[in-house]
Amino acid sequence: MTRHGLLFVCLGNICRSPLAKFVMLDLVERRGLAHAFDIDSCGTGSWHAGDGADPRTVEVARRHGLNPDHVARPVRPAVDFDRFGLLLAMDLDNRRNLLRLGAPEAKVKLLRSFDPALSGQPEHTLEVPDPYYGGPEGFEHMHEMISAACRGLFETLVRARVS
Ligand code: 4NP
């Protein structure tokens, strides 16, 4: 069986894309479908390679019962653009950087485009804003945005598989 390959992509790979990975791993596990998914995250920058998730991301993950294990890594175009069927950018800069690195356009999506509540909204409203320089409330809001989008993504993929 081919697994759904999902790569969540942000800038530093310590805040947004790790949290998306934690949320999605938890979701597929709770639905008994972990075997059907290949899930990872990375950054378009490499400053934080080898670091764990940002402490504020770890805190919000724990608060929501998620496992915050993480080692940050930069995107590896030659490997990742082949291995993963969907490259899920958190914002428009991440998407632009992926395309500049040669990612196939059909694979690159904004994560929040899968939030059904945002269907038809203009692209600039579909970003998960970078919370790095903001306060802790930004991290809670980030979790809300990411979990709604991941639920939508999961439903889209599972529906596609059965229909
Ligand atoms: P992320 O947030 O892209 O969601 O991981 C950031 C983390 C670190 C930096 C920027 C954004 N930084 O400039 O170090």
Side-chain angles (χ1 to χ4, degrees), residues 10-16 48 130-133:
C10 62
L11 175 59
N13 192 220
I14 56 170
C15 298
R16 292 165 291 174
H48 293 282
D130 184 350
Y132 189 65
Y133 294 105

Side-chain angles (χ1 to χ4, degrees), residues 48-65:
H48 293 282
D51 292 354
D54 185 284
R56 296 162 296 178
T57 296
V58 171
E59 190 190 319
V60 81
R62 290 220 171 100
R63 199 181 316 135
H64 290 276

Side-chain angles (χ1 to χ4, degrees), residues 22-115:
F22 304 152
V23 165
M24 203 69 192
L25 283 172
D26 177 68
L27 187 55
V28 301
E29 209 161 283
R30 282 191 291 107
R31 306 282 185 101
L33 286 171
H35 60 280
F37 285 82
D38 176 20
I39 296 168
D40 201 3
S41 72
C42 68
T44 58
S46 55
W47 315 283
H48 293 282
D51 292 354
D54 185 284
R56 296 162 296 178
T57 296
V58 171
E59 190 190 319
V60 81
R62 290 220 171 100
R63 199 181 316 135
H64 290 276
L66 306 172
N67 176 353
D69 286 352
H70 180 66
V71 180
R73 71 161 178 96
V75 63
R76 294 179 299 243
V79 180
D80 292 329
F81 299 166
D82 181 49
R83 172 176 158 193
F84 296 97
L86 278 176
L87 308 168
L88 297 150
M90 297 297 135
D91 65 30
L92 293 166
D93 275 344
N94 307 148
R95 184 175 72 178
R96 211 169 6 252
N97 285 325
L98 284 169
L99 293 172
R100 200 176 290 144
L101 289 167
E105 212 171 324
K107 291 189 174 188
V108 182
K109 307 280 181 203
L110 287 171
L111 174 63
R112 292 190 83 198
S113 67
F114 290 94
D115 182 338

